[in-house]
Amino acid sequence: MILSDQELNLRNAVAVSEAGRQAIHAGVDQFDMSPLQMVDSSAVAVMLAWQRQAQALDRRLQFVGVPSSLLSLISLYGLTEFFHLIAANTPERH
């Protein structure tokens, strides 16, 4: 699943989370995070919910194109080992 929004924050976290949950239920195991340019801690909460759902289904998710700002938040919360993360190849715009 490719995220369609450039932001994942408190404003849209519920809608993005639900879309991801439906995708996981449909068999999606990879999330392309590369469109994200602005995130807050809600993005980490959404990813945790997806990861827990996948684990309950005995599956493992892969997050590709993860922007450095989101990697920093994940690291800050000590969750780096909880996710299979592939960093974005392109520099972020600020």
Side-chain angles (χ1 to χ4, degrees):
M1 175 178 153
I2 299 174
L3 297 185
S4 58
D5 292 343
Q6 292 183 349
E7 298 180 18
L8 180 46
N9 52 36
L10 187 58
R11 181 188 57 79
N12 65 348
V14 172
V16 173
S17 180
E18 183 56 30
R21 292 173 58 80
Q22 289 176 9
I24 292 166
H25 183 72
V28 170
D29 289 328
Q30 185 178 76
F31 287 81
D32 184 349
M33 313 296 272
S34 60
L36 293 178
Q37 294 182 13
M38 297 185 69
V39 297
D40 66 15
S41 59
S42 300
V44 178
V46 167
M47 291 174 66
L48 281 169
W50 292 342
Q51 189 71 16
R52 287 184 180 124
Q53 180 184 0
Q55 286 177 335
L57 297 170
D58 200 27
R59 296 193 354 237
R60 184 171 185 210
L61 299 181
Q62 181 179 45
F63 297 94
V64 299
V66 182
S68 62
S69 56
L70 184 51
L71 289 172
S72 293
L73 283 173
I74 291 167
S75 178
L76 177 69
Y77 295 124
L79 296 171
T80 303
E81 300 300 320
F82 191 68
F83 299 109
H84 184 204
L85 303 166
I86 300 172
N89 291 330
T90 57
E92 293 177 61
R93 292 182 292 181
H94 296 281

